[in-house]
C-alpha cells in the first residue's frame, strides 16, 4: 500500500475547495434532474453524473422514489453499488428506455 502523502496547508485547502465545488455541482445537477430540466439521454453523459451512484442518478428524476428506483435497477440488472460511469452499453440503453418511458 502507498502511504498517504503529506499535504501542505495550501494544497489541503485547494483540495477542500475542489471537493466542495464538486459536491455543489452535483447537488445543482440533481436539482435540475428532479425539476425535469435535463432529459435522461443528455443527463447520463454529463460529467456530474459519472461519479454518482446509478441508484442516486435514477432517484433524481421526477416521480421516482426508493421503490421505483430499486425496481428499475432490478429490471435493468444494475448492481446497487454501481456508478453511472460503470454501466455497460446495454444497461445504459435499457435504463434510458425505462426513464424516458416513465416520464411520458
Amino acid at each position: 500500500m502507498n502511504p498517504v502523502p503529506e499535504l501542505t496547508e495550501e494544497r489541503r485547502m485547494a483540495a477542500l475547495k475542489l471537493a466542495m465545488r464538486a459536491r455543489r455541482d452535483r447537488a445543482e445537477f440533481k436539482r435540475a434532474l428532479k425539476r425535469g430540466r435535463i432529459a435522461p439521454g443528455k443527463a447520463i453523459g454529463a460529467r456530474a453524473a459519472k461519479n454518482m451512484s446509478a441508484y442516486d442518478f435514477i432517484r433524481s428524476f421526477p416521480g421516482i422514489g426508493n421503490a421505483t428506483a430499486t425496481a428499475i435497477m432490478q429490471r435493468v440488472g444494475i448492481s446497487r453499488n454501481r456508478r453511472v460511469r460503470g454501466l455497460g452499453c446495454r444497461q445504459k440503453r435499457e435504463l434510458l428506455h425505462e426513464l424516458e418511458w416513465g416520464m411520458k
Side-chain angles (χ1 to χ4, degrees):
M1 259 174 48
N2 295 331
V4 177
E6 291 288 326
L7 296 178
T8 64
E9 188 64 24
E10 294 83 28
R11 285 191 175 191
R12 192 176 71 75
M13 292 305 292
L16 285 173
K17 286 181 182 179
L18 190 64
M20 286 190 316
R21 177 64 186 197
R23 283 191 293 273
R24 191 170 37 252
D25 289 349
R26 201 166 30 252
E28 288 174 19
F29 179 71
K30 288 169 98 173
R31 277 192 296 275
L33 289 178
K34 189 55 94 173
R35 292 180 178 142
R37 293 182 180 162
I38 304 173
K42 186 173 181 180
I44 203 163
R47 189 167 49 103
K50 302 278 185 217
N51 289 329
M52 289 175 68
S53 73
Y55 181 76
D56 284 344
F57 178 75
I58 296 167
R59 282 192 49 222
S60 295
F61 287 91
I64 298 180
N66 295 333
T68 306
T70 300
I72 289 172
M73 290 182 69
Q74 288 175 347
R75 283 194 299 269
V76 176
I78 300 173
S79 168
R80 179 78 162 100
N81 59 351
R82 178 71 60 194
R83 299 226 174 253
V84 172
R85 73 172 170 258
L87 297 176
C89 294
R90 180 196 58 81
Q91 289 173 320
K92 285 181 184 178
R93 185 178 61 246
E94 290 180 17
L95 176 58
L96 288 176
H97 176 75
E98 291 273 346
L99 292 172
E100 289 167 354
W101 184 81
M103 295 181 85
K104 290 181 182 179

